[in-house]
Amino acid sequence: MIVAVSGRLLRIAATYQIASLFTGYMVYGSLFFDDSGMGRDAQSGNFGFGLMITFFIAVFAATPAALTVAVGEIRSWRMWWYYSLAGSLIGLVLGFMFKGPAFFPYLGLVLGVGSGGIYWKLAGSVAGLADDPPRRVVALIMFALAAFGFLWTWSAWLGLSPF
């Protein structure tokens, strides 16, 4: 059981990072076409600027993504549209949350479909296929990670930091 759970968690984490890299570098590339002045920073930047964007996306999307994955695992939802819709909503919220060009929320909406699709293809399409105990353990761990992520990132952003 431990091997199944750890293998599943490793697959989820690796796939989440791949989806975050896709989104981060698509956002980085979109800044080249921006007129607000942020584009000049991206053009003069380097590969590291894209990694920084990817890091922020991965950190702030971790809580809602962990909840999405936990529900998908516990319900054995393997539909591509579930992960794409969740990715779009997460991208829309993050697009409004960060100050950037006016098109950021819509970019998040569109890129969420891509990152959700990437997640579905690599990990979500086999959600909940394991026996009941490993599936429940994976979901429980994902719920715990979402709670920790909320305490670490979102509560501070909302001014509710317990630390």
Side-chain angles (χ1 to χ4, degrees):
M1 181 170 107
I2 293 173
V3 173
V5 170
S6 60
R8 182 70 186 145
L9 289 173
L10 183 61
R11 185 175 190 169
I12 289 169
T15 302
Y16 178 73
Q17 289 306 312
I18 292 168
S20 295
L21 277 168
F22 163 78
T23 306
Y25 276 96
M26 292 299 285
V27 169
Y28 174 65
S30 72
L31 293 176
F32 287 112
F33 302 106
D34 178 32
D35 295 342
S36 70
M38 221 173 161
R40 286 193 304 275
D41 293 338
Q43 290 170 1
S44 64
N46 56 15
F47 189 73
F49 190 65
L51 281 177
M52 184 183 73
I53 293 171
T54 298
F55 174 77
F56 280 110
I57 289 171
V59 166
F60 280 95
T63 298
L67 289 173
T68 299
V69 169
V71 170
E73 287 289 327
I74 201 74
R75 296 285 197 175
S76 296
W77 285 348
R78 296 183 285 276
M79 298 94 51
W80 66 268
W81 57 266
Y82 168 69
Y83 295 101
S84 292
L85 179 64
S88 289
L89 293 175
I90 293 168
L92 183 67
V93 169
L94 289 180
F96 277 118
M97 199 171 95
F98 291 110
K99 300 231 183 238
F103 64 85
F104 260 26
Y106 309 108
L107 183 66
L109 190 65
V110 171
L111 292 178
V113 173
S115 60
I118 289 170
Y119 181 83
W120 169 79
K121 184 66 176 166
L122 299 176
S125 60
V126 293
L129 285 180
D131 298 345
D132 274 349
R135 180 179 60 174
R136 290 188 180 144
V137 170
V138 168
L140 181 63
I141 291 170
M142 295 309 294
F143 279 125
L145 287 173
F148 176 75
F150 176 79
L151 290 175
W152 188 51
T153 57
W154 286 90
S155 63
W157 188 79
L158 294 170
L160 307 172
S161 181
F163 303 111

